[in-house]
Amino acid sequence: MSSVAVLTQESFNEHRNGLLPEQSNVGSSGNDDDDVLPTYKEAFPPLPEKAATPEGRQELDNAWTKIRPLKSSIITQVFHVPLEERKYKDINQFGEGDQAKICVDIMQKTGAHLELSMAKDQGLSIMVSGKLDAVMKARKEIVSRLQTQASATVAIPKEHHRFVIGKNGEKLQELELKTATKIQIPRPEDPSNHIKISGTKEGLEKAKHEILLISAEQDKRAVERVNIDKVYHPFITGAYNKFVAEMMQETGARINVPPPSVLKTEIVITGEKEQVAQAVAMIKKIYEEKKKNATTIAVEVKKSQHKYVIGPRGNTLQEILEKTGVSVEIPPPDSSSETVILRGEPDRLGQALTEVYAKANSYTVSSVLAPSWLHRFIIGKKGQNLAKITQQMPKVHIEFTEGEDKITLEGPTKDVQQVQSQIEAIVMDLVNRMDYTEISVDPKFHRHLIGKGGANINRIKDQYKVSVRIPPDNEKSNLIRIEGDPQGVQEAKKELLELASRMENERTKDMIIEQRFHRAIIGQKGEKIKEVRDKFPEVIINFPDPAQKSDIVQLRGPRTEVEKCSKFMQKMVAEMVENSYSVSVPIFKQFHKNIIGKGGANIKKIREETNTKIDLPAENSNSEMIVITGKKANCEAARNRILAIQKELANITEIEVSIPSKLHNSLIGSKGRFVRSIMEECGGVHIHFPTEGSGIDTVTIRGPVEDVEKAKRQLLSVAEEKQTKSHTAELRAKPEYHKFLIGKGGGNIKKVRDSTGARIIFPTADDKDQELITVVGTEEAVREAQKELETLIKSLDNVVEDGMTVDPKHHRYFVARRGQVLRDIADEYGGVMVSFPRTGSQSDKVTLKGAKDCVEAAKKRMLEIIEDLEAQVTMECVIAQKFHRSIMGPKGLRIQQITREHNVQIKFPEREDVQGKILFLPEFVIADSFLPSSQVNIQVPAPELHSDIIAITGLACHLDRAKEGLLERVKELQAEQEDRALRSFKLTITVDPKYHPKIIGRKGAIITQIRNEHDVNIQFPEKNDENQDQITITGYEQKAIAARNAIQAIVDDLEEMISEDITLDSRVHARIIGARGKGIRKIMDEFKVDLKFPQNGAADPNLVTVMGRPEDVDEAIDHLLNLEEEYLADVVENESKQAYMKPRATASSVSAGEEQRSSSKGFVVREAPWTTSTEKAPDMSSSEDFPSFGASVTPKTSPWGPKRF
């Protein structure tokens, strides 16, 4: 519904004055300025003074009764789309076709709820519920997407266009929502005054009426509104609006009669006063005549026949009005009334009645017998068959009812007869050449018949040219219906029954396989499971999702094949289980490098000979465990060999101690802390307890003989304590104190243990609580140890500062390597802070700060270091320079090891120093016996000598081995040379350069795939190359030929392609291309074409090139043109709105505004208090009365005293 605002003559004049304030001052003299100025009271009216009355309470009470009741924000509206205006008329797909999808899309876009239903006349009824704004948006979408569109233009003065648009386009948007139309207003520079409206007929009429009303309200001429009963409007407008057009032409006034769909009686006339008066007189004359002479007659016409009386878009009513001069009033569609009223001259009513009955009975209803299963064949794919009939006979309505064996026809008698004969012929033909059958298959097999992604059922449909309907799961029906050619139906039936029979014979078996083996069974990229599937092609193997943590692997297929596959996979799993036995071997960290061997020789040999996987801990890890994985027997063999290496290298022994198993957990301690403290205290021996719950009492201890004996005594002692009486206590100390509490070599803590008999356990690096110290032993021992430790910790908390003298020549030793020596001292002696004087200073004073005992101990240690530095000597060792590299070893590893082991510094001379002297700065002099005896030196002659002789120098026992290695390397190089010759086969292929980018592909994807697949090198010509069409392929001969064939296949496909140029408005190019080319890539992938858009500055910016196969190019062009039409409408609409948007302020406009403000007198009123009283008006230019921000102002004295802030 649209509303009309009543504009009186007085309000119209006020409106004009408000719009054109400048016109009211034209011609006025300067002396009249004071009369124009408002008075102070007019500009600032005083608040009304109201005395307190007893009625005030009553007024407050009544105020609550005036509150408007709240209303629901959810509204419901029903929209009707007549059959002739429906955009989608495929009745067979109602509820699942395009219109249903569109409704779902509208609901998602607007947030409104839609319910779609079909009326008996095949019109659509759409009930929309939601908030008003959402309902109006949904209505607009329904009209534009489900209803056929018409267009019309309305001409109003150019100066009125901005009122139609409104502020920021709000009025235009509101109008489009209200009328469900699209309104396009010409741009300001366009001289046209025609506004284009597109939408439904009803929406066009409403929009046109609203625009004309806006224009009338803004028109500077006279406006007259005449209330005429709605029933007499047709006589004033005349048939097809002829009378009103003639009156407008004769009088020159604009007459706006509300359309029939708008329930308003007001007719608006605008124009010059004389013209308006003349038009009003003519309208009233017609009204009076018709009111006096016209009579009515009411007749009953079936509701279903009303649409025939109305005719398409109301044309039949206009036709009757034109012929007879009688108005026919039809009840609204939502009314159940069947009464039709005829209004007009008495002598014309008979003729009009005859016309009404003739139109109502001009249509007939007939039916054609046709089995319901044939209906979709009669309709054809996408309604093609039916479209041929409806195009010839557009007035005939054909209705298919699901489940009924008939087709209903409705329309003009002759047309219905012709359509009936055509459909009967189609039905007869289909019955003769089509057949159907139904088979019963258990619903549990339906999805297997369909196949993955419909593969099986689609193959059967295509192969036998039949249609197969498998009921959905919710129907729980056994019947599968097959329709099509009789022979194809029988063959499809046979194959489906065979498949079903085979499935009934199928067996599903669940195998329990630990999930840790699933990835190994599947293999890298599914290679291993592919081999299993190839071996048992009829068996389907399903692995559970890794996230489910399930061990069940499902096999499905023929019974015998499933059994064979199951046994095969069980065998695979058994082998994996056998090969996944794991054992951990504790090996002292210093022997790991010996187990690895030179270049990994030892560990590689053990792996190969025992067929096991051996993992060593990382070099920077504290772990000593070597993990061996494989078959149990092989793991044991590898374990023994590794232990044998350790035994050879050191005096390692292994003993077993019997300790009751019930004490094992208490001996191990929380997270192994207790047993770890024993192992660390006893030189890092390995103590192995049996697995928990095994009931075995034997504990194994392995390590150096003395340490093993020590660990044994401690274990037995602790076990005895545990059996008698054990007590535990905890205390805390800062982590930096721990090393000091332990002491060098564990001396401090050993004293406490010896004196008290308690065991003290410090946290490891892995423990979360680094301050917690645990004391274990008898109650008395624990109490004494705790007391001693607390005394030590308390003394450590007593921070003191002390100093010592250190010769400046030794400062560098302490602060070198980022102060590593000082950090070690701080770690060992309770976090003592040692401060050396700045570099360059000659001071020898060093400051130590920390706990008193720690400072003293650190001081003592530093004096020991200084004494060692003073005792150092330097010696020279002469070694030929050719041996220097061998001594250093790879990356200097050997020389670094020597410096660490002997605590010396070794400096090698520069290459120019031919004497070959090596300087040693030892703590004590070492012998020359460290020189390596197992190395050889290989000298390769320079290339310019052209010599074939390589010299090897070294120990005689190593020369033969080095010579054999060199000869093997020569053989390898010769084989590589031969292979390189075979790989250098080269051939060329001639390809038009325009195809080169296609062969290369996006980011080189295609050419890279060809290179990798055929293991060849493919070279394209350079830009300046003469032979631009030559592509060179290098590689093995057979592979190069295969690569050439692959490129030729691509070229053959490209030569079949065509290129077409189309014109697309450049304004929509960006929308089509999409963000980061996403839109254009989607189009190219979907239609398998290439698109080329013009570059900036192109001669024709609208020219777009489409390349691909002919059929793909045609489809892509159609799609692009559809997109252009859709996007262009949005572009035009946005441009029209943008034209009326307020432009951004420019610098010139801002400065002009400031200049205008500076010259203005400001806001001035008459009869202000400061003009009538003695008080002086405030001076706006005074910085005292109106201070600027940040300016200092001299305070002004006031009778109220100084101002307080």
Side-chain angles (χ1 to χ4, degrees), residues 300-302 304-310 316 353-365 410-414 416:
E300 297 294 320
V301 178
K302 289 181 180 179
S304 59
Q305 293 179 321
H306 285 191
K307 59 184 178 181
Y308 306 136
V309 178
I310 296 169
T316 304
L353 183 60
T354 305
E355 288 286 336
V356 168
Y357 278 125
K359 296 297 182 183
N361 297 319
S362 62
Y363 281 68
T364 185
V365 177
E410 184 180 347
T413 307
K414 289 183 180 179
V416 166

PDB file of all heavy atoms in Angstrom, residues 300-302 304-310 316 353-365 410-414 416:
ATOM      1  N   GLU A 300     -23.384 -13.638 -11.221  1.00  0.00           N
ATOM      2  CA  GLU A 300     -22.513 -14.640 -10.596  1.00  0.00           C
ATOM      3  C   GLU A 300     -21.660 -15.322 -11.668  1.00  0.00           C
ATOM      4  O   GLU A 300     -22.209 -15.868 -12.635  1.00  0.00           O
ATOM      5  CB  GLU A 300     -23.346 -15.683  -9.838  1.00  0.00           C
ATOM      6  CG  GLU A 300     -24.153 -15.129  -8.686  1.00  0.00           C
ATOM      7  CD  GLU A 300     -23.280 -14.608  -7.574  1.00  0.00           C
ATOM      8  OE1 GLU A 300     -22.250 -15.254  -7.269  1.00  0.00           O
ATOM      9  OE2 GLU A 300     -23.606 -13.533  -7.020  1.00  0.00           O
ATOM     10  N   VAL A 301     -20.371 -15.247 -11.498  1.00  0.00           N
ATOM     11  CA  VAL A 301     -19.425 -15.909 -12.415  1.00  0.00           C
ATOM     12  C   VAL A 301     -18.457 -16.724 -11.554  1.00  0.00           C
ATOM     13  O   VAL A 301     -17.966 -16.239 -10.536  1.00  0.00           O
ATOM     14  CB  VAL A 301     -18.633 -14.866 -13.244  1.00  0.00           C
ATOM     15  CG1 VAL A 301     -17.623 -15.580 -14.151  1.00  0.00           C
ATOM     16  CG2 VAL A 301     -19.561 -14.008 -14.074  1.00  0.00           C
ATOM     17  N   LYS A 302     -18.230 -17.978 -11.961  1.00  0.00           N
ATOM     18  CA  LYS A 302     -17.360 -18.860 -11.185  1.00  0.00           C
ATOM     19  C   LYS A 302     -16.003 -18.199 -10.940  1.00  0.00           C
ATOM     20  O   LYS A 302     -15.451 -17.521 -11.811  1.00  0.00           O
ATOM     21  CB  LYS A 302     -17.142 -20.193 -11.906  1.00  0.00           C
ATOM     22  CG  LYS A 302     -18.366 -21.086 -11.914  1.00  0.00           C
ATOM     23  CD  LYS A 302     -18.057 -22.406 -12.618  1.00  0.00           C
ATOM     24  CE  LYS A 302     -19.281 -23.323 -12.641  1.00  0.00           C
ATOM     25  NZ  LYS A 302     -19.000 -24.586 -13.337  1.00  0.00           N
ATOM     26  N   SER A 304     -13.164 -19.428 -10.754  1.00  0.00           N
ATOM     27  CA  SER A 304     -12.106 -19.909 -11.646  1.00  0.00           C
ATOM     28  C   SER A 304     -12.134 -19.210 -12.999  1.00  0.00           C
ATOM     29  O   SER A 304     -11.154 -19.225 -13.727  1.00  0.00           O
ATOM     30  CB  SER A 304     -12.237 -21.424 -11.842  1.00  0.00           C
ATOM     31  OG  SER A 304     -13.498 -21.735 -12.399  1.00  0.00           O
ATOM     32  N   GLN A 305     -13.326 -18.565 -13.346  1.00  0.00           N
ATOM     33  CA  GLN A 305     -13.441 -17.905 -14.653  1.00  0.00           C
ATOM     34  C   GLN A 305     -13.152 -16.410 -14.569  1.00  0.00           C
ATOM     35  O   GLN A 305     -13.112 -15.739 -15.601  1.00  0.00           O
ATOM     36  CB  GLN A 305     -14.861 -18.129 -15.214  1.00  0.00           C
ATOM     37  CG  GLN A 305     -15.145 -19.593 -15.558  1.00  0.00           C
ATOM     38  CD  GLN A 305     -16.559 -19.791 -16.075  1.00  0.00           C
ATOM     39  OE1 GLN A 305     -17.490 -19.173 -15.568  1.00  0.00           O
ATOM     40  NE2 GLN A 305     -16.704 -20.630 -17.079  1.00  0.00           N
ATOM     41  N   HIS A 306     -12.920 -15.894 -13.358  1.00  0.00           N
ATOM     42  CA  HIS A 306     -12.645 -14.459 -13.216  1.00  0.00           C
ATOM     43  C   HIS A 306     -11.408 -14.038 -14.009  1.00  0.00           C
ATOM     44  O   HIS A 306     -11.382 -12.963 -14.606  1.00  0.00           O
ATOM     45  CB  HIS A 306     -12.456 -14.115 -11.741  1.00  0.00           C
ATOM     46  CG  HIS A 306     -13.756 -14.088 -10.979  1.00  0.00           C
ATOM     47  ND1 HIS A 306     -13.856 -13.597  -9.706  1.00  0.00           N
ATOM     48  CD2 HIS A 306     -15.013 -14.497 -11.306  1.00  0.00           C
ATOM     49  CE1 HIS A 306     -15.095 -13.704  -9.281  1.00  0.00           C
ATOM     50  NE2 HIS A 306     -15.807 -14.282 -10.239  1.00  0.00           N
ATOM     51  N   LYS A 307     -10.404 -14.890 -14.006  1.00  0.00           N
ATOM     52  CA  LYS A 307      -9.172 -14.509 -14.696  1.00  0.00           C
ATOM     53  C   LYS A 307      -9.389 -14.354 -16.194  1.00  0.00           C
ATOM     54  O   LYS A 307      -8.700 -13.563 -16.849  1.00  0.00           O
ATOM     55  CB  LYS A 307      -8.095 -15.554 -14.424  1.00  0.00           C
ATOM     56  CG  LYS A 307      -8.419 -16.957 -14.853  1.00  0.00           C
ATOM     57  CD  LYS A 307      -7.313 -17.923 -14.452  1.00  0.00           C
ATOM     58  CE  LYS A 307      -7.678 -19.351 -14.838  1.00  0.00           C
ATOM     59  NZ  LYS A 307      -6.624 -20.305 -14.442  1.00  0.00           N
ATOM     60  N   TYR A 308     -10.370 -15.097 -16.740  1.00  0.00           N
ATOM     61  CA  TYR A 308     -10.637 -14.958 -18.165  1.00  0.00           C
ATOM     62  C   TYR A 308     -11.353 -13.650 -18.447  1.00  0.00           C
ATOM     63  O   TYR A 308     -11.186 -13.040 -19.506  1.00  0.00           O
ATOM     64  CB  TYR A 308     -11.484 -16.130 -18.667  1.00  0.00           C
ATOM     65  CG  TYR A 308     -10.886 -17.491 -18.335  1.00  0.00           C
ATOM     66  CD1 TYR A 308     -11.678 -18.534 -17.842  1.00  0.00           C
ATOM     67  CD2 TYR A 308      -9.532 -17.730 -18.533  1.00  0.00           C
ATOM     68  CE1 TYR A 308     -11.133 -19.768 -17.528  1.00  0.00           C
ATOM     69  CE2 TYR A 308      -8.978 -18.971 -18.220  1.00  0.00           C
ATOM     70  CZ  TYR A 308      -9.781 -19.974 -17.712  1.00  0.00           C
ATOM     71  OH  TYR A 308      -9.237 -21.187 -17.413  1.00  0.00           O
ATOM     72  N   VAL A 309     -12.176 -13.221 -17.480  1.00  0.00           N
ATOM     73  CA  VAL A 309     -12.875 -11.934 -17.645  1.00  0.00           C
ATOM     74  C   VAL A 309     -11.865 -10.786 -17.520  1.00  0.00           C
ATOM     75  O   VAL A 309     -11.950  -9.802 -18.259  1.00  0.00           O
ATOM     76  CB  VAL A 309     -13.995 -11.790 -16.587  1.00  0.00           C
ATOM     77  CG1 VAL A 309     -14.680 -10.432 -16.719  1.00  0.00           C
ATOM     78  CG2 VAL A 309     -15.021 -12.911 -16.738  1.00  0.00           C
ATOM     79  N   ILE A 310     -10.913 -10.927 -16.585  1.00  0.00           N
ATOM     80  CA  ILE A 310      -9.894  -9.881 -16.408  1.00  0.00           C
ATOM     81  C   ILE A 310      -8.955  -9.846 -17.611  1.00  0.00           C
ATOM     82  O   ILE A 310      -8.634  -8.782 -18.131  1.00  0.00           O
ATOM     83  CB  ILE A 310      -9.089 -10.139 -15.116  1.00  0.00           C
ATOM     84  CG1 ILE A 310     -10.005 -10.033 -13.899  1.00  0.00           C
ATOM     85  CG2 ILE A 310      -7.925  -9.156 -14.990  1.00  0.00           C
ATOM     86  CD1 ILE A 310      -9.381 -10.511 -12.604  1.00  0.00           C
ATOM     87  N   THR A 316      -8.679  -7.539 -20.985  1.00  0.00           N
ATOM     88  CA  THR A 316     -10.083  -7.859 -21.333  1.00  0.00           C
ATOM     89  C   THR A 316     -11.042  -6.845 -20.715  1.00  0.00           C
ATOM     90  O   THR A 316     -12.024  -6.415 -21.358  1.00  0.00           O
ATOM     91  CB  THR A 316     -10.417  -9.284 -20.848  1.00  0.00           C
ATOM     92  OG1 THR A 316      -9.475 -10.198 -21.404  1.00  0.00           O
ATOM     93  CG2 THR A 316     -11.816  -9.686 -21.275  1.00  0.00           C
ATOM     94  N   LEU A 353     -22.828  -7.449 -20.542  1.00  0.00           N
ATOM     95  CA  LEU A 353     -23.065  -8.746 -19.902  1.00  0.00           C
ATOM     96  C   LEU A 353     -22.752  -9.887 -20.858  1.00  0.00           C
ATOM     97  O   LEU A 353     -22.158 -10.902 -20.491  1.00  0.00           O
ATOM     98  CB  LEU A 353     -24.513  -8.816 -19.411  1.00  0.00           C
ATOM     99  CG  LEU A 353     -24.920 -10.077 -18.658  1.00  0.00           C
ATOM    100  CD1 LEU A 353     -24.074 -10.242 -17.401  1.00  0.00           C
ATOM    101  CD2 LEU A 353     -26.407 -10.025 -18.307  1.00  0.00           C
ATOM    102  N   THR A 354     -23.185  -9.688 -22.134  1.00  0.00           N
ATOM    103  CA  THR A 354     -22.892 -10.710 -23.155  1.00  0.00           C
ATOM    104  C   THR A 354     -21.383 -10.898 -23.302  1.00  0.00           C
ATOM    105  O   THR A 354     -20.883 -12.025 -23.398  1.00  0.00           O
ATOM    106  CB  THR A 354     -23.499 -10.295 -24.509  1.00  0.00           C
ATOM    107  OG1 THR A 354     -24.876 -10.053 -24.335  1.00  0.00           O
ATOM    108  CG2 THR A 354     -23.275 -11.364 -25.558  1.00  0.00           C
ATOM    109  N   GLU A 355     -20.653  -9.767 -23.317  1.00  0.00           N
ATOM    110  CA  GLU A 355     -19.195  -9.838 -23.449  1.00  0.00           C
ATOM    111  C   GLU A 355     -18.570 -10.583 -22.264  1.00  0.00           C
ATOM    112  O   GLU A 355     -17.664 -11.390 -22.421  1.00  0.00           O
ATOM    113  CB  GLU A 355     -18.608  -8.417 -23.526  1.00  0.00           C
ATOM    114  CG  GLU A 355     -18.879  -7.681 -24.814  1.00  0.00           C
ATOM    115  CD  GLU A 355     -18.039  -8.215 -25.963  1.00  0.00           C
ATOM    116  OE1 GLU A 355     -16.971  -8.809 -25.699  1.00  0.00           O
ATOM    117  OE2 GLU A 355     -18.442  -8.043 -27.130  1.00  0.00           O
ATOM    118  N   VAL A 356     -19.069 -10.280 -21.058  1.00  0.00           N
ATOM    119  CA  VAL A 356     -18.511 -10.922 -19.862  1.00  0.00           C
ATOM    120  C   VAL A 356     -18.700 -12.423 -19.924  1.00  0.00           C
ATOM    121  O   VAL A 356     -17.765 -13.204 -19.684  1.00  0.00           O
ATOM    122  CB  VAL A 356     -19.161 -10.337 -18.583  1.00  0.00           C
ATOM    123  CG1 VAL A 356     -18.803 -11.203 -17.358  1.00  0.00           C
ATOM    124  CG2 VAL A 356     -18.679  -8.919 -18.345  1.00  0.00           C
ATOM    125  N   TYR A 357     -19.914 -12.876 -20.256  1.00  0.00           N
ATOM    126  CA  TYR A 357     -20.170 -14.322 -20.340  1.00  0.00           C
ATOM    127  C   TYR A 357     -19.358 -14.966 -21.472  1.00  0.00           C
ATOM    128  O   TYR A 357     -18.890 -16.099 -21.354  1.00  0.00           O
ATOM    129  CB  TYR A 357     -21.663 -14.590 -20.522  1.00  0.00           C
ATOM    130  CG  TYR A 357     -22.432 -14.560 -19.223  1.00  0.00           C
ATOM    131  CD1 TYR A 357     -23.530 -13.713 -19.061  1.00  0.00           C
ATOM    132  CD2 TYR A 357     -22.072 -15.381 -18.161  1.00  0.00           C
ATOM    133  CE1 TYR A 357     -24.236 -13.680 -17.857  1.00  0.00           C
ATOM    134  CE2 TYR A 357     -22.768 -15.360 -16.966  1.00  0.00           C
ATOM    135  CZ  TYR A 357     -23.836 -14.506 -16.807  1.00  0.00           C
ATOM    136  OH  TYR A 357     -24.518 -14.469 -15.624  1.00  0.00           O
ATOM    137  N   ALA A 358     -19.228 -14.218 -22.577  1.00  0.00           N
ATOM    138  CA  ALA A 358     -18.459 -14.758 -23.707  1.00  0.00           C
ATOM    139  C   ALA A 358     -17.000 -14.981 -23.294  1.00  0.00           C
ATOM    140  O   ALA A 358     -16.404 -16.017 -23.600  1.00  0.00           O
ATOM    141  CB  ALA A 358     -18.540 -13.799 -24.897  1.00  0.00           C
ATOM    142  N   LYS A 359     -16.448 -13.984 -22.600  1.00  0.00           N
ATOM    143  CA  LYS A 359     -15.054 -14.126 -22.164  1.00  0.00           C
ATOM    144  C   LYS A 359     -14.911 -15.243 -21.130  1.00  0.00           C
ATOM    145  O   LYS A 359     -13.939 -16.004 -21.142  1.00  0.00           O
ATOM    146  CB  LYS A 359     -14.554 -12.808 -21.558  1.00  0.00           C
ATOM    147  CG  LYS A 359     -14.498 -11.644 -22.543  1.00  0.00           C
ATOM    148  CD  LYS A 359     -13.516 -11.891 -23.663  1.00  0.00           C
ATOM    149  CE  LYS A 359     -13.436 -10.692 -24.607  1.00  0.00           C
ATOM    150  NZ  LYS A 359     -12.531 -10.964 -25.750  1.00  0.00           N
ATOM    151  N   ALA A 360     -15.887 -15.312 -20.209  1.00  0.00           N
ATOM    152  CA  ALA A 360     -15.809 -16.331 -19.164  1.00  0.00           C
ATOM    153  C   ALA A 360     -15.903 -17.731 -19.747  1.00  0.00           C
ATOM    154  O   ALA A 360     -15.267 -18.669 -19.243  1.00  0.00           O
ATOM    155  CB  ALA A 360     -16.918 -16.111 -18.139  1.00  0.00           C
ATOM    156  N   ASN A 361     -16.694 -17.875 -20.793  1.00  0.00           N
ATOM    157  CA  ASN A 361     -16.894 -19.211 -21.382  1.00  0.00           C
ATOM    158  C   ASN A 361     -16.028 -19.451 -22.611  1.00  0.00           C
ATOM    159  O   ASN A 361     -16.206 -20.457 -23.303  1.00  0.00           O
ATOM    160  CB  ASN A 361     -18.373 -19.395 -21.751  1.00  0.00           C
ATOM    161  CG  ASN A 361     -19.266 -19.343 -20.518  1.00  0.00           C
ATOM    162  OD1 ASN A 361     -18.919 -19.891 -19.473  1.00  0.00           O
ATOM    163  ND2 ASN A 361     -20.406 -18.668 -20.629  1.00  0.00           N
ATOM    164  N   SER A 362     -15.150 -18.504 -22.908  1.00  0.00           N
ATOM    165  CA  SER A 362     -14.318 -18.671 -24.112  1.00  0.00           C
ATOM    166  C   SER A 362     -13.243 -19.725 -23.917  1.00  0.00           C
ATOM    167  O   SER A 362     -12.598 -20.119 -24.866  1.00  0.00           O
ATOM    168  CB  SER A 362     -13.671 -17.331 -24.485  1.00  0.00           C
ATOM    169  OG  SER A 362     -12.828 -16.900 -23.428  1.00  0.00           O
ATOM    170  N   TYR A 363     -13.012 -20.147 -22.677  1.00  0.00           N
ATOM    171  CA  TYR A 363     -11.986 -21.144 -22.370  1.00  0.00           C
ATOM    172  C   TYR A 363     -12.663 -22.458 -21.987  1.00  0.00           C
ATOM    173  O   TYR A 363     -13.753 -22.456 -21.416  1.00  0.00           O
ATOM    174  CB  TYR A 363     -11.101 -20.662 -21.226  1.00  0.00           C
ATOM    175  CG  TYR A 363     -10.061 -19.655 -21.667  1.00  0.00           C
ATOM    176  CD1 TYR A 363     -10.425 -18.385 -22.096  1.00  0.00           C
ATOM    177  CD2 TYR A 363      -8.717 -19.996 -21.671  1.00  0.00           C
ATOM    178  CE1 TYR A 363      -9.480 -17.470 -22.501  1.00  0.00           C
ATOM    179  CE2 TYR A 363      -7.749 -19.073 -22.067  1.00  0.00           C
ATOM    180  CZ  TYR A 363      -8.131 -17.815 -22.490  1.00  0.00           C
ATOM    181  OH  TYR A 363      -7.183 -16.920 -22.888  1.00  0.00           O
ATOM    182  N   THR A 364     -12.005 -23.581 -22.334  1.00  0.00           N
ATOM    183  CA  THR A 364     -12.536 -24.895 -22.003  1.00  0.00           C
ATOM    184  C   THR A 364     -11.488 -25.713 -21.263  1.00  0.00           C
ATOM    185  O   THR A 364     -10.295 -25.415 -21.348  1.00  0.00           O
ATOM    186  CB  THR A 364     -12.980 -25.639 -23.283  1.00  0.00           C
ATOM    187  OG1 THR A 364     -13.601 -26.867 -22.914  1.00  0.00           O
ATOM    188  CG2 THR A 364     -11.785 -25.956 -24.170  1.00  0.00           C
ATOM    189  N   VAL A 365     -11.922 -26.723 -20.548  1.00  0.00           N
ATOM    190  CA  VAL A 365     -11.016 -27.607 -19.794  1.00  0.00           C
ATOM    191  C   VAL A 365     -11.179 -29.017 -20.332  1.00  0.00           C
ATOM    192  O   VAL A 365     -12.313 -29.505 -20.471  1.00  0.00           O
ATOM    193  CB  VAL A 365     -11.326 -27.569 -18.283  1.00  0.00           C
ATOM    194  CG1 VAL A 365     -10.411 -28.541 -17.550  1.00  0.00           C
ATOM    195  CG2 VAL A 365     -11.161 -26.166 -17.735  1.00  0.00           C
ATOM    196  N   GLU A 410      -6.243 -26.455 -20.359  1.00  0.00           N
ATOM    197  CA  GLU A 410      -7.175 -25.353 -20.141  1.00  0.00           C
ATOM    198  C   GLU A 410      -6.800 -24.224 -21.082  1.00  0.00           C
ATOM    199  O   GLU A 410      -5.642 -23.818 -21.157  1.00  0.00           O
ATOM    200  CB  GLU A 410      -7.077 -24.889 -18.680  1.00  0.00           C
ATOM    201  CG  GLU A 410      -8.072 -23.817 -18.323  1.00  0.00           C
ATOM    202  CD  GLU A 410      -7.946 -23.389 -16.869  1.00  0.00           C
ATOM    203  OE1 GLU A 410      -7.267 -24.088 -16.088  1.00  0.00           O
ATOM    204  OE2 GLU A 410      -8.519 -22.348 -16.525  1.00  0.00           O
ATOM    205  N   GLY A 411      -7.822 -23.681 -21.816  1.00  0.00           N
ATOM    206  CA  GLY A 411      -7.545 -22.590 -22.741  1.00  0.00           C
ATOM    207  C   GLY A 411      -8.671 -22.445 -23.752  1.00  0.00           C
ATOM    208  O   GLY A 411      -9.751 -23.052 -23.606  1.00  0.00           O
ATOM    209  N   PRO A 412      -8.461 -21.625 -24.790  1.00  0.00           N
ATOM    210  CA  PRO A 412      -9.480 -21.475 -25.840  1.00  0.00           C
ATOM    211  C   PRO A 412      -9.806 -22.824 -26.470  1.00  0.00           C
ATOM    212  O   PRO A 412      -8.922 -23.657 -26.669  1.00  0.00           O
ATOM    213  CB  PRO A 412      -8.799 -20.530 -26.833  1.00  0.00           C
ATOM    214  CG  PRO A 412      -7.777 -19.791 -26.033  1.00  0.00           C
ATOM    215  CD  PRO A 412      -7.302 -20.753 -24.999  1.00  0.00           C
ATOM    216  N   THR A 413     -11.066 -23.000 -26.795  1.00  0.00           N
ATOM    217  CA  THR A 413     -11.570 -24.317 -27.250  1.00  0.00           C
ATOM    218  C   THR A 413     -10.753 -24.855 -28.420  1.00  0.00           C
ATOM    219  O   THR A 413     -10.284 -26.010 -28.396  1.00  0.00           O
ATOM    220  CB  THR A 413     -13.045 -24.215 -27.629  1.00  0.00           C
ATOM    221  OG1 THR A 413     -13.748 -23.640 -26.536  1.00  0.00           O
ATOM    222  CG2 THR A 413     -13.630 -25.587 -27.947  1.00  0.00           C
ATOM    223  N   LYS A 414     -10.571 -24.031 -29.454  1.00  0.00           N
ATOM    224  CA  LYS A 414      -9.854 -24.519 -30.643  1.00  0.00           C
ATOM    225  C   LYS A 414      -8.410 -24.882 -30.284  1.00  0.00           C
ATOM    226  O   LYS A 414      -7.895 -25.909 -30.729  1.00  0.00           O
ATOM    227  CB  LYS A 414      -9.876 -23.443 -31.732  1.00  0.00           C
ATOM    228  CG  LYS A 414     -11.243 -23.239 -32.361  1.00  0.00           C
ATOM    229  CD  LYS A 414     -11.157 -22.216 -33.484  1.00  0.00           C
ATOM    230  CE  LYS A 414     -12.524 -22.002 -34.140  1.00  0.00           C
ATOM    231  NZ  LYS A 414     -12.463 -20.999 -35.219  1.00  0.00           N
ATOM    232  N   VAL A 416      -7.227 -25.729 -27.390  1.00  0.00           N
ATOM    233  CA  VAL A 416      -7.202 -26.913 -26.529  1.00  0.00           C
ATOM    234  C   VAL A 416      -7.319 -28.172 -27.369  1.00  0.00           C
ATOM    235  O   VAL A 416      -6.644 -29.178 -27.125  1.00  0.00           O
ATOM    236  CB  VAL A 416      -8.317 -26.837 -25.467  1.00  0.00           C
ATOM    237  CG1 VAL A 416      -8.521 -28.193 -24.803  1.00  0.00           C
ATOM    238  CG2 VAL A 416      -7.979 -25.800 -24.411  1.00  0.00           C
TER     239      VAL A 416
END
